[in-house]
Every structure is written in structure tokens, then in C-alpha cells.
Amino acid sequence: MILLCYSLAAAIGGGLYEHIVLTPMWSKSPPSSFSIIQPTTGVPLQRFWIPVHAAITLFIILSLMMTWSDMTVRRLLLVALVCYIVMRVWSFLFFIPEMLAFQNVPIDSAPSAELAARVSRWTFWTWFREPLDIISFLFSLLALYSLNR
């Protein structure tokens, strides 16, 4: 459960870094600003997010398996899991496909109102994913605390 908490903390830190540092850079004047997210020239987002989410998935499953008999811990971890699943499903359905589409837009193509609207929508809604990570983290911490009582 400690590794789960560390993994969730890494996701929160990575999300905040993306929101505060990277997103303002790549979203300021699309598509020319997309160079920061291009697979060959930009920040390799997948190198961070894939291992972090793999770790969270593994550790939350292991934590549930190892503490299943403790009803309080199980309930807290299930709340964390539900929030995490909601965030991941939302990411797979909207955020990841859009980011991959943004990464494929040539940076020398002409700006368009449609692209600017898509970027604006992405940057607005992405702020609502971070609270889901924070809730997962807090409920995992509560489960860890409850386990150690």
C-alpha cells in the first residue's frame, strides 16, 4: 500500500507539472506550439505516464488482494479504485486520443479555429482529472492509516 501511495503521489506530481509547465507551453499557439509534444522533438510523455499507471494498477490490485479481509481498508481502497478507473476511462476515451491527434498535427500547418477550440476544450477538462487522482491518493492514505491502527 505504501508503493500504491507513492505511485499515486507521482501521478499527482506529474499531472501538476503537466498542467503548470507543459500545457501552457504546447497550447499557447497551436499548431506551432505543438513542437513540445511531438513524439520526436518534444517531451516524451509516455515514458512517464505508462510506468506510473502500470505501477498504480499493479499496486492497487495487490493492495486489495492483501487486505481484502479488512472491511474498512477494502472499502477505502475500492473508493480509490473507482476514482482511478473513472479517470483512466475518461483518459482513454477523450484525453489520450486527442493528445495523439495533437501530436500528429504538423507544426507548420495553418492555425484553425477548430483546432484552437479542441485545444481549449482539452486544457479545460484536463483540470478535472487531477481531483480524481487526489481522491484516489487520499483514500489510499486513509486505507494505509486504517491498516496500521
Side-chain angles (χ1 to χ4, degrees):
M1 285 182 43
I2 291 171
L3 293 174
L4 171 62
C5 291
Y6 280 137
S7 301
L8 286 164
I12 292 168
L16 289 174
Y17 174 77
E18 248 188 55
H19 294 306
I20 294 166
V21 176
L22 294 180
T23 300
M25 291 170 57
W26 71 257
S27 65
K28 72 177 166 187
S29 58
S32 63
S33 58
F34 284 178
S35 63
I36 193 77
I37 59 170
Q38 294 295 314
T40 56
T41 60
V43 177
L45 300 172
Q46 294 88 342
R47 285 191 196 162
F48 175 78
W49 288 115
I50 291 173
V52 166
H53 287 298
I56 291 169
T57 301
L58 174 66
F59 296 138
I60 203 162
I61 290 169
L62 287 174
S63 294
L64 277 165
M65 288 172 47
M66 294 173 70
T67 62
W68 192 258
S69 61
D70 186 322
M71 188 183 307
T72 302
V73 172
R74 179 176 63 216
R75 285 181 180 163
L76 292 166
L77 286 175
L78 287 173
V79 171
L81 176 63
V82 167
C83 288
Y84 182 72
I85 288 172
V86 168
M87 187 274 305
R88 293 304 300 149
V89 168
W90 193 14
S91 294
F92 276 111
L93 293 176
F94 175 69
F95 294 102
I96 294 170
E98 277 292 274
M99 179 56 72
L100 293 173
F102 295 152
Q103 289 176 337
N104 288 322
V105 173
I107 58 174
D108 57 355
S109 61
S112 71
E114 185 267 334
L115 181 61
R118 285 176 49 208
V119 168
S120 179
R121 184 173 49 251
W122 194 99
T123 57
F124 174 78
W125 286 111
T126 196
W127 280 102
F128 295 94
R129 289 190 297 172
E130 200 69 21
L132 292 169
D133 280 339
I134 292 169
I135 292 169
S136 293
F137 177 65
L138 292 176
F139 274 84
S140 296
L141 283 176
L142 287 171
L144 180 61
Y145 174 76
S146 180
L147 185 66
N148 288 325
R149 287 182 60 183

